[in-house]
Every structure is written in structure tokens, then in C-alpha cells.
């Protein structure tokens, strides 16, 4: 059989398959059942974050098989592999959460090493849970081989006593139980039914936020982020993605041709318009970092401030991810923003067309109120706001979507870890008007920048009615709601002002002015800083968490662990 090897001559896989020097390499490939034709076609890595840890990832193996069918149809040779996933809702509220944000770096690194080591020519990545989505996109940008991202889909909502519920309600149910609003029997009944299918959390938490980002930034096919995980129609999208990746290989359309400053602004606009997760302010700077673009928390916040909040999605609103899909999905939201002048329409995407070209056929759906017109938004500015002040010189974030009030002042009630704060909240050892401070939970000092969802959900479930605020150098789940400020920087672990707070210090929060201050003079803060010393932590003196703590940078720059792309750097795709 004659094999056309011309396609290989400029692709990375030529280093594995071409020439007499690679006879032993080809022998390994033949041993796995590959034909001569398949060996000399472009190699496409198909990576999924499949595992049996949680429903977010359980359907990804099936979807990966559909991608492989598409790659074969397009004339490529798929090579499937898997990477890890740490699922936040299972890691939440205990030491396991320290593995969550570091897993983003581990996933990106493991994909990079797999692709480099085996000389793959392109990449299709499937992800389901929070950190897996930005991690795969980070790896795609870093490697710069033709790539397409696919979201595994969200859960369908459940029915409980005639009411539609999601896992968001389940998390907050613990708070209601703690104050006697739910019985043990009701709690167990809810936990049995609240997650009826595979898929990620069905609200606009981090997974669905970053799924929307994948379309907005141009790395995913239009409509691919919307269909719930349980819908087998997702498989058709996966097949098409597999076929499309071969077109990108032939054209050599790469991630850094797609991810630009303007496309990052598009992604931030979609987060703002959808009331998305505060975690996006970590992940968007991290994506920018992979292609050498400065786009930190304050750059993201500028986009948030000029973008209207128009999607009425939980946790701050009424509807769930499936409702958004049913009325037109992310493209409908993007079309509203584009027509309103809030998106850059000339950004290239993996379709080979621009954003404007992709959206040309999208029509406004007037028979719905999930997405509002930009002329009548829920709020004139986005659902997430950056704060700055003497308590947060490097910034902080607050999700204002769904907040009844935007200003808060009160005395600090300080805790040096989430566990102590959670116990105090569980036992209702706080006063209305308090500002609960949880510190030493930042990227370096935590280490690992844990989410505080267990504590915030307990507060919300106890119905504090916005009369208790929470401030932390840790993170929040995308499902967090209430007056909660996170990502305070510099973090306590490096001696930031949050480390210097004492019980009773008055904290002022203004989400309109974008300020976070403590009523202390510069002289007092400096005196406390001179007396401060970091607490001794004997837990993490080796292993992955220790290594992460040595390398990680500040939250406002994305909590990244390597220097980022350099202007003169040769990418893997050019080897």
C-alpha cells in the first residue's frame, strides 16, 4: 500500500514515525494494532479527565470515543490518554481542597509532557469539573498545536417535593439543617435525589462559567458547552470536533492565533454577563499567561465593569444551565453582547471563522427571560467585581450577582483556617454585622487556596440575610452566594494586611466603589507588620502541595507556577 507522507513533513509526529532511524518506534506502534496508513497520518491526542470520582467526569470516556470517530473520519490517527481531576464538591470542607487549585497546574503539565513525549500533532481535550477546564485550555495554548476544547456537560436539575433543585440546594441544605429548618429525614431525601444524572453542577458555577469561556475565547465549537452531559447529542458534537481538528491541522490554525487580548476580553465579558464564578479571575489571567499576555485581575475587572449582567442564572438568579441551553445557549448570550457592542467580533475561532461570522445566523429569542436584552440588564455592570484598598493592595473579588446590598461595614472576627471558622458558624458563634475573616488560606500560605463553600453555604443556609460578611485570602466556589470577598492579596501567608487584622478591627467593603479597607492607619499597619511572624506549619514539608507552595505566584496574576510564554520562545508545535 502506498502511503502519502507529505502531511507529516512539518508535523511533530514525524520525529516518531518517519525515516529508517525510527524503525523501533514504528514497531511499538504496530504492536498496538496500528496500520501503516495510520502510522503515517497526523497523530491527534484525545485527552479526557475521566475518572470515577464524581459525576462531572464519568461521561467523558464515552464522549472521547466519539471524538476519535471524528478524527478517523477526518484522516487522522487518534491517540487517547487521560489525566487527573480533583472534584471540588468532594474535596470541599477538608484537607482535600488543598489539592484542587494545584491540580490545575498538574493537569496542564501532564498534558504538556504527554504530548511532548509522544510527539502528537494536535489535541482535543474533554473536561468536566472546575479546574480541568482551564487546565486543558492552558495546555493547548502552551503547546500551541491545533486544539479544540470540549466540555462534558452539566447535570440535569432534580425534582424534590414538586420543586426543581440542584446540588447548590444540597450544599446549602446543611446550613438549614444546622438551624432546624430541615429534619434529618428531609436532608437524606434531598441528598438521594439532588444529583440525578452525570455532569457538572447545573448552576453558573465554575465549570459552566469556564465552559462559556471556552466558546467565547474561541477554543470550542459554538453550542458545544450547552448540552447536558446526559444528552447523547453531545456525541455528535464530539464527532464534529474530531473532524474539525483535522481541518485545523491542515490549516495550522493554532491556539495562539485564537487566544489574543481581544478574545480574552470577550471571555471576560461573557463571564460578567452570565454572573459567572469568581474563579474566572484566576483562570483568565492563567490562560493569558500561557501566551505571554498581561491580563491580570484588574484587567479582567475593567471588562466586568463595562459589561452588563444579563443572564438570570443560579446561584444568583433563577435559571439553571439546561434552561440556558434550551433558549439558545452561549451563542444567544454572545449575540446579545455582540449586537450591543460588548464583544470583539473579529476574533478568530476554531471554526476557522470569526466570532461575528459564527454568530451571523443567531436570532434573538423573545420568548424567554433567561437572557435579558442588554438594554434592560439585571445590572449595568458584571456579576463579579474587583476590590482594592489598604486591606487588599493586590486586590480581591466579590460576586455581586444576587446581592441585596453592595456596602458593608463591621468588626472583624478572625480565624486562621477554614475549619475553625466553619465550627464557629455551625454553632452560630457570631453576631449579625460581623465580618468573618478566614486567612492563611491563600495559594502559598494555605497552601493550595482552598474554597470556602462549606462555610459560606452554612451561612447562607442559616439565612443571615446579608447581615454577615466573609473575607478571605482563599477562594470561593462558583456556587457561593452572599456577601463574600475572596482572593485578598497579598495573602496572609506572605504577611499581607489580612494577616495583621485583630478581632474588632472595623472593615469597610464597598462593591460599588470597588474598595476593601480596614480602619487602621498606615503607621498601625506597619507596626503590626514588624511584629508579625508566619505561623509554623508542619503538615506540608514534602510532596506535591509543598512543591506547589514553593512555585505559586499571587492570586491577582492567576496563581501560576511558571514564568509564562516569552516573546522569543519557540513553542512545542514548531519542533
Amino acid at each position: 500500500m502506498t502511503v502519502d507522507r507529505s502531511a507529516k513533513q512539518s508535523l511533530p509526529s514525524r520525529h516518531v514515525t518517519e525515516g529508517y532511524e525510527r524503525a523501533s518506534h514504528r514497531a511499538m506502534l504496530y504492536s498496538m494494532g496500528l496500520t501503516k496508513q495510520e502510522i503515517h497520518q497526523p497523530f491527534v491526542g484525545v485527552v479526557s479527565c475521566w475518572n470515577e470520582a464524581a459525576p462531572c467526569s464519568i461521561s467523558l470516556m464515552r464522549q472521547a470515543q466519539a471524538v476519535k470517530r471524528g478524527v478517523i473520519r477526518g484522516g487522522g490517527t487518534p491517540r487517547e490518554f487521560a489525566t487527573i481531576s480533583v472534584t471540588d464538591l468532594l474535596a470541599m470542607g477538608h484537607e482535600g481542597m488543598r489539592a484542587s487549585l494545584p491540580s490545575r497546574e498538574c493537569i496542564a503539565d501532564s498534558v504538556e509532557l504527554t504530548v511532548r513525549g509522544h510527539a502528537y500533532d494536535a489535541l482535543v481535550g474533554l473536561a468536566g469539573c472546575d479546574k480541568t477546564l482551564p487546565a486543558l485550555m492552558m495546555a493547548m495554548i502552551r503547546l500551541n498545536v491545533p486544539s479544540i476544547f470540549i466540555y462534558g456537560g452539566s447535570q440535569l436539575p432534580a425534582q424534590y417535593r414538586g420543586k426543581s433543585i440542584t446540588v447548590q440546594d444540597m450544599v446549602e441544605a446543611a446550613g438549614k439543617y444546622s438551624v432546624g429548618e430541615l429534619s434529618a429525614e428531609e436532608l437524606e431525601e434531598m441528598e438521594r435525589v439532588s444529583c440525578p444524572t452525570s455532569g457538572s453542577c447545573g448552576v453558573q458555577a465554575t465549570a459552566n462559567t469556564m465552559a462559556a469561556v471556552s466558546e467565547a475565547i474561541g477554543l470550542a465549537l459554538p453550542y458545544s458547552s450547552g448540552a447536558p452531559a446526559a444528552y447523547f447529542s453531545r456525541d455528535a458534537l464530539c464527532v464534529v470536533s474530531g473532524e474539525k481538528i483535522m481541518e485545523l491541522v491542515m490549516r495550522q490554525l493554532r491556539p495562539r492565533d485564537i487566544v489574543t487580548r481581544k478574545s480574552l476580553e470577550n471571555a471576560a465579558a461573557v463571564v460578567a454577563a452570565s454572573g459567572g464564578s469568581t474563579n474566572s479571575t484566576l483562570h483568565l489571567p492563567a490562560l493569558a499567561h500561557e501566551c505571554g499576555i498581561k491580563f491580570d485581575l484588574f484587567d479582567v475587572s475593567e471588562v466586568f465593569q463595562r459589561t452588563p449582567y444579563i443572564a438570570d442564572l443560579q446561584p444568583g438568579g433563577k435559571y439553571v444551565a439546561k434552561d440556558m441551553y434550551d433558549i439558545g445557549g452561549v451563542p444567544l448570550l454572545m449575540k446579545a453582547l455582540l449586537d450591543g457592542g460588548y464583544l470583539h467580533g473579529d476574533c478568530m475561532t476554531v471554526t476557522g471563522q470569526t466570532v461575528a461570522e459564527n454568530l451571523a445566523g443567531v436570532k434573538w429569542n423573545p420568548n424567554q427571560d433567561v437572557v435579558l436584552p442588554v438594554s434592560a440588564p439585571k445590572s449595568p455592570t458584571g456579576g463579579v467585581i474587583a476590590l482594592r484598598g489598604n486591606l487588599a493592595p493586590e486586590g480581591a473579588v466579590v460576586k455581586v450577582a444576587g446581592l441585596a446590598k453592595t456596602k458593608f461595614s463591621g468588626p472583624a472576627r478572625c480565624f486562621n483556617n477554614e475549619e475553625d471558622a466553619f465550627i464557629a458558624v455551625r454553632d452560630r458563634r457570631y453576631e449579625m454585622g460581623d465580618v468573618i475573616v478566614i486567612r492563611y488560606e491563600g495559594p502559598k500560605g494555605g497552601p493550595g487556596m482552598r474554597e470556602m463553600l462549606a462555610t459560606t453555604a452554612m451561612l447562607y443556609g442559616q439565612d443571615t440575610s446579608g447581615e454577615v460578611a466573609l473575607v478571605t485570602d482563599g477562594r470561593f466556589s462558583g456556587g457561593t452566594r452572599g456577601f463574600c470577598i475572596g482572593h485578598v492579596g497579598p495573602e496572609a501567608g506572605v504577611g499581607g494586611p489580612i494577616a495583621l487584622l485583630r478581632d474588632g478591627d472595623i472593615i469597610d467593603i464597598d462593591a460599588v466603589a470597588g474598595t476593601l479597607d480596614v480602619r487602621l492607619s498606615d503607621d498601625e499597619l506597619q507596626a503590626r507588620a514588624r511584629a508579625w511572624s508566619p505561623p509554623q506549619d508542619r503538615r506540608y514539608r514534602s510532596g506535591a502541595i509543598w512543591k506547589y507552595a514553593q512555585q505559586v505566584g499571587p492570586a491577582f496574576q492567576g496563581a501560576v507556577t511558571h514564568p509564562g510564554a516569552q516573546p522569543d520562545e519557540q513553542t512545542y508545535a514548531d519542533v
Side-chain angles (χ1 to χ4, degrees), residues 268-269 271-272 280-281 300-307 381-382 384-385:
V271 173
S280 64
T281 64
V300 175
S301 182
E302 282 184 19
V303 180
F304 288 173
Q305 290 282 6
R306 65 176 185 249
T307 306
T381 59
V384 176
I385 299 295

Side-chain angles (χ1 to χ4, degrees), residues 20-40:
Y20 73 89
E21 304 95 334
R22 301 299 184 251
S24 61
H25 301 59
R26 292 190 293 273
M28 296 283 284
L29 298 170
Y30 279 124
S31 76
M32 291 183 284
L34 270 65
T35 65
K36 184 176 183 180
Q37 179 74 34
E38 290 170 328
I39 289 173
H40 295 292

